[in-house]
Amino acid sequence: MKCMKCMKGLAWASLFLQVAGLDADALTAQYFGNDAPWYRDRIPLFESSASEIQDVYYYRWNIFRAHQRDLGADGYISTEFLNDVSWQTQPSALLIDAANFHLREGRWCRDRRFKSDYASFLYGPYKNPYQFSESMADGVWQGYLVDGVADDATAHLDTMQEVFKGWNTTTMDTGGYDTSKALYWIQPLTDATEYTIASIDASGGADGFTGGNAFRPSINSYQYANALAIANLAKLLGQDDVANEYQQQAAGIKGTVQDTLWNSTFQHFIDRYKVDNEYVAYWDFIRGRELVGYVPWTHDLPDDTEEFAQAWKHLLDREKFAGAHGLRTNEPSYEYYMKQYRYEGDKRECQWNGPAWPYQTTQVLSALANLLDHYNTSAAANLVTKADYTNLLQQYAQLHYNPDRGGILDLEEDYDADTGSPIVGLARSPHYFHSGYVDLVLSGLVGIRPRADDVLEVNPLADPAVMTYFRAERILYHGHEIAVQWDANGDHYGTSGLVVEVDGKVVSTSPSLTRITTSITRETPPAISRPIAVSVQQNSTSYPQGSVSVADADTDAVHAAIDGRVWFFPESDVANGWDTPAGNGSELWYQISFESSTQTASAEIAFFANSTQGFDAPEKYSIQVNVSGEWSEVSNANYSSPVANGITRATWDGVDTDKIRLVFAPQDEKKVRLVEFKVFGEVVSDN
């Protein structure tokens, strides 16, 4: 490894001149079309010789963008499903089980608003922290490790402690703390993993959707990670007493998990029963291994010992967890492996008794990245390698291509690990944000290991036999622009080896994929811009309200055009917004009525297009406001050309009004789908 201080003369100049940047305009246009402006300054760029890993990387940013729901004054949250489901928190659509994934993905977004707003909502007045098991505090801490903005992360410290202490109550029906065992327990359904061994066997094999309360590796690992996050955040504020308290709690959880949830027969972390009934007995181990047993490594809980490392020999065993197309959630030897219990009509519903789930695949790959990065036992080194990480990430990427929809990129809920086909194909299922991927690429494959100190550490887990080149750039880390590049022989970028750049300058190199560390100062990243959309309404019965010029329009669809959700996926089962009739030359309008006179000055308009479905953007449009009972076009309007599957922008002289209209005529024989009509009380610049 060479540091910048060691490079001199022509050698340094030659290396610097050969560094090649990626074309942001071309890449974002290639992957996002007319919506490219949203991504251009918000996402890190990534290029790789492994085309599937690269394509899915950009698809996952598409998923991230689609699941950012604007709640107006309440900011943005990340949703799990595109369509509403009955078990979400109403009316926001909050589901917290995947919040850690959302925050870890969002920490790489150059616009901090999304993760910052989301954390504020998770710990804000509308919070629902016991909806599922959670590791939200850890997610906030992980975000701090990338951006280094202490104020964002520590703002929620008091509420984090309140939530943590709430889990310690014994009055919950579906999860809590058992003081006699010094462990947390959870119902598998409330752990977001219904139909596990614990819940199926607790029913005598008859069911398993509910019940099966157990001391699980998952919730105890989450609470360990949350306790450490609270301790670390308290240190940032100089609250040493709080830091010590939660460090001790974390140490207690760690010791108890290792002493009681490690099963030496199975050589794996597994559940023990909280429930005691005719089928299972309190404190007995469940009768098989589950993929959840790797979650302790996701959060760096286990000690670095030869004994615990033995768990990793099961991961790649085809008779155990390793399916041909994905990681099984439990092993085929289990009596009820892949038995289907639950249906919606004739379609299969979610179960965790064997299917491959992106949710736990994400956890296992994060765990494996930790193991390969900083666990040093010889047993682990002999059982799993960097090549295994790359291969499993490739396998995971391949799951994103949906054979039931012609091979398009469409991540669904769960999969048959032996065939790679989706299992649950319900209306809610497409483009599911219940997992992570961007973080696995940037912190694992590319190897940027976020730290709290003033060090940039890069330790790529890419297999050089598979990844002959890659480059990740435009990564905001501690307020600096970071790039990491690998070229096995120099054929692609003109410089062979591993190159790390900070603010456009090479700071470290290595001829091989190895660990590089370099000092880095902490700079303030760009400030967050928070324009508030005055048009957004979560509840269709409250103001603002939408209405249209078309009779008998679907009220839910009309409301969808102001519900703060924007995506352009073509599948009819995730259609989003209001559809007009086919154009015949007539003008139509979409109106927003405010409860009282409201300042308006700009709009972001999202039109959908799909030629086979007959949708396109209108050729032109205008904005009208109602002032003193009279409709007129806004003054000094600046209308950008209408675009489909992207954002059309309009600005005008600010005006107070209680009603505003988007007026347009669909093209002849074409329909318009108005995905979102978002109005602001200030001029919002192009982003």
Side-chain angles (χ1 to χ4, degrees):
M1 181 183 75
K2 292 190 285 185
C3 292
M4 188 169 67
K5 292 180 180 179
C6 303
M7 301 181 195
K8 297 180 180 179
L10 293 177
W12 155 251
S14 174
L15 179 61
F16 180 75
L17 290 172
Q18 291 183 64
V19 168
L22 302 178
D23 188 331
D25 290 338
L27 277 169
T28 53
Q30 173 188 346
Y31 285 102
F32 308 116
N34 287 341
D35 205 27
W38 191 93
Y39 298 88
R40 191 174 296 122
D41 294 323
R42 284 193 170 105
I43 70 169
L45 301 179
F46 174 69
E47 179 182 77
S48 163
S49 59
S51 60
E52 287 179 330
I53 291 178
Q54 175 179 322
D55 291 348
V56 173
Y57 173 84
Y58 289 104
Y59 167 68
R60 290 302 299 245
W61 277 117
N62 196 353
I63 283 185
F64 179 86
R65 192 280 206 252
H67 284 274
Q68 298 312 303
R69 186 178 186 186
D70 188 348
L71 302 181
D74 293 322
Y76 280 86
I77 68 166
S78 294
T79 60
E80 182 175 316
F81 295 95
L82 294 179
N83 293 332
D84 288 330
V85 293
S86 61
W87 56 94
Q88 69 192 25
T89 301
Q90 302 291 358
S92 64
L94 179 71
L95 290 166
I96 70 166
D97 49 311
N100 188 275
F101 301 143
H102 298 159
L103 291 165
R104 288 192 184 218
E105 298 285 274
R107 67 180 177 165
W108 301 106
C109 183
R110 296 166 58 85
D111 185 346
R112 299 189 343 266
R113 178 178 188 182
F114 302 107
K115 77 171 183 61
S116 176
D117 282 5
Y118 187 36
S120 295
F121 196 88
L122 290 169
Y123 288 109
Y126 308 113
K127 64 183 180 296
N128 191 0
Y130 311 114
Q131 182 186 38
F132 292 98
S133 58
E134 50 82 18
S135 49
M136 300 186 302
D138 175 70
V140 173
W141 171 250
Q142 294 297 326
Y144 167 75
L145 293 180
V146 171
D147 63 38
V149 181
D151 288 348
D152 283 1
T154 58
H156 313 295
L157 181 59
D158 289 345
T159 312
M160 287 176 180
Q161 294 175 70
E162 172 194 319
V163 170
F164 188 93
K165 291 172 182 176
W167 279 107
N168 291 350
T169 181
T170 57
T171 59
M172 294 186 198
D173 294 329
T174 58
Y177 187 71
D178 187 312
T179 55
S180 67
K181 300 299 184 185
L183 281 174
Y184 294 90
W185 60 273
I186 196 81
Q187 175 183 231
L189 175 61
T190 316
D191 206 25
T193 56
E194 59 274 18
Y195 293 100
T196 64
I197 293 176
S199 61
I200 293 172
D201 281 1
S203 76
D207 194 47
F209 180 60
T210 59
N213 296 348
F215 304 97
R216 308 199 79 211
S218 48
I219 188 172
N220 285 282
S221 297
Y222 303 157
Q223 288 295 83
Y224 169 77
N226 285 335
L228 282 183
I230 292 170
N232 288 325
L233 292 170
K235 288 178 188 175
L236 294 180
L237 293 178
Q239 297 181 12
D240 292 341
D241 54 339
V242 174
N244 291 335
E245 175 189 350
Y246 281 88
Q247 282 177 321
Q248 290 174 14
Q249 293 207 49
I253 296 168
K254 174 187 173 78
T256 307
V257 167
Q258 294 186 140
D259 290 343
T260 63
L261 297 188
W262 176 258
N263 184 290
S264 58
T265 301
F266 285 115
Q267 295 182 305
H268 206 64
F269 288 105
I270 64 174
D271 298 9
R272 299 182 91 141
Y273 285 107
K274 166 72 171 174
V275 65
D276 194 341
N277 63 23
E278 61 184 302
Y279 302 112
V280 297
Y282 177 80
W283 201 239
D284 278 0
F285 281 111
I286 61 171
R287 57 175 172 144
R289 299 182 195 90
E290 294 179 314
L291 203 61
V292 71
Y294 293 109
V295 172
W297 282 274
T298 305
H299 300 290
D300 278 327
L301 184 151
D303 287 331
D304 192 2
T305 69
E306 298 288 321
E307 180 185 14
F308 294 143
Q310 297 305 312
W312 290 92
K313 68 184 178 184
H314 314 306
L315 185 70
L316 304 177
D317 188 330
R318 287 299 179 93
E319 300 300 317
K320 293 173 182 165
F321 293 121
H325 294 272
L327 296 173
R328 306 179 181 109
T329 47
N330 62 34
E331 299 176 2
S333 59
Y334 175 52
E335 179 181 0
Y336 301 109
Y337 172 78
M338 294 295 285
K339 177 181 177 180
Q340 190 66 37
Y341 289 91
R342 189 165 169 251
Y343 293 83
E344 182 180 297
D346 61 352
K347 291 188 175 181
R348 293 179 289 179
E349 259 283 9
C350 296
Q351 299 184 183
W352 292 74
N353 57 335
W357 277 84
Y359 183 101
Q360 275 187 353
T361 299
T362 304
Q363 292 178 316
V364 171
L365 281 166
S366 296
L368 180 56
N370 286 339
L371 186 83
L372 294 171
D373 180 72
H374 49 264
Y375 281 73
N376 300 307
T377 60
S378 58
N382 292 330
L383 292 169
V384 283
T385 66
K386 291 183 177 182
D388 296 320
Y389 183 89
T390 303
N391 291 337
L392 288 171
L393 184 64
Q394 275 195 308
Q395 183 188 66
Y396 179 30
Q398 289 160 2
L399 278 184
H400 289 69
Y401 294 86
N402 189 340
D404 294 347
R405 295 183 185 263
I408 66 168
L409 283 166
D410 168 35
L411 185 67
E412 304 250 342
E413 297 185 61
D414 63 342
Y415 295 81
D416 187 316
D418 295 323
T419 68
S421 294
I423 292 175
V424 177
L426 300 171
R428 67 171 192 251
S429 300
H431 310 295
Y432 188 39
F433 194 20
H434 189 240
S435 59
Y437 182 88
V438 168
D439 186 58
L440 300 176
V441 171
L442 295 178
S443 70
L445 192 78
V446 174
I448 302 169
R449 306 299 299 179
R451 295 171 54 146
D453 57 6
D454 295 333
V455 174
L456 171 62
E457 181 175 11
V458 177
N459 184 26
L461 301 182
D463 177 6
V466 174
M467 306 283 286
T468 57
Y469 68 84
F470 68 76
R471 180 176 172 87
E473 67 177 34
R474 296 167 61 88
I475 299 162
L476 272 176
Y477 181 79
H478 291 202
H480 295 273
E481 294 276 359
I482 304 301
V484 180
Q485 176 180 295
W486 163 253
D487 192 337
N489 50 32
D491 289 345
H492 195 77
Y493 298 116
T495 300
S496 62
L498 181 63
V499 177
V500 177
E501 303 164 43
V502 176
D503 297 329
K505 297 181 179 180
V506 174
V507 296
S508 299
T509 67
S510 171
S512 61
L513 286 170
T514 190
R515 190 185 309 275
I516 286 177
T517 59
T518 187
S519 297
I520 190 170
T521 59
R522 189 181 300 271
E523 303 295 335
T524 303
I528 297 175
S529 175
R530 280 194 170 91
I532 303 299
V534 297
S535 56
V536 168
Q537 177 52 251
Q538 302 169 52
N539 192 328
S540 62
T541 61
S542 302
Y543 285 98
Q545 291 183 340
S547 59
V548 296
S549 57
V550 176
D552 300 322
D554 182 288
T555 55
D556 289 338
V558 171
H559 172 68
I562 56 169
D563 70 353
R565 305 186 219 203
V566 175
W567 66 80
F568 304 107
F569 296 121
E571 294 88 344
S572 59
D573 45 5
V574 292
N576 177 31
W578 170 59
D579 296 351
T580 72
N584 60 7
S586 300
E587 277 195 339
L588 304 174
W589 49 256
Y590 185 99
Q591 176 176 305
I592 301 172
S593 299
F594 301 106
E595 189 169 17
S596 59
S597 187
T598 300
Q599 172 81 3
T600 68
S602 65
E604 295 179 352
I605 309 161
F607 296 115
F608 172 77
N610 184 289
S611 59
T612 60
Q613 298 173 21
F615 288 101
D616 207 341
E619 289 185 359
K620 61 180 181 178
Y621 64 96
S622 64
I623 305 293
Q624 297 179 357
V625 292
N626 187 291
V627 179
S628 300
E630 298 290 334
W631 286 98
S632 61
E633 186 171 353
V634 292
S635 299
N636 290 323
N638 182 5
Y639 300 136
S640 66
S641 297
V643 298
N645 299 336
I647 301 301
T648 301
R649 300 181 183 279
T651 63
W652 56 89
D653 288 345
V655 58
D656 291 345
T657 181
D658 63 349
K659 296 182 180 68
I660 188 168
R661 284 179 177 176
L662 171 68
V663 182
F664 59 93
Q667 299 180 45
D668 287 347
E669 300 183 358
K670 295 287 187 181
K671 297 175 290 183
V672 168
R673 176 175 294 160
L674 179 62
V675 173
E676 192 78 8
F677 179 28
K678 190 179 291 189
V679 178
F680 299 88
E682 59 185 299
V683 173
V684 178
S685 60
D686 187 3
N687 58 2

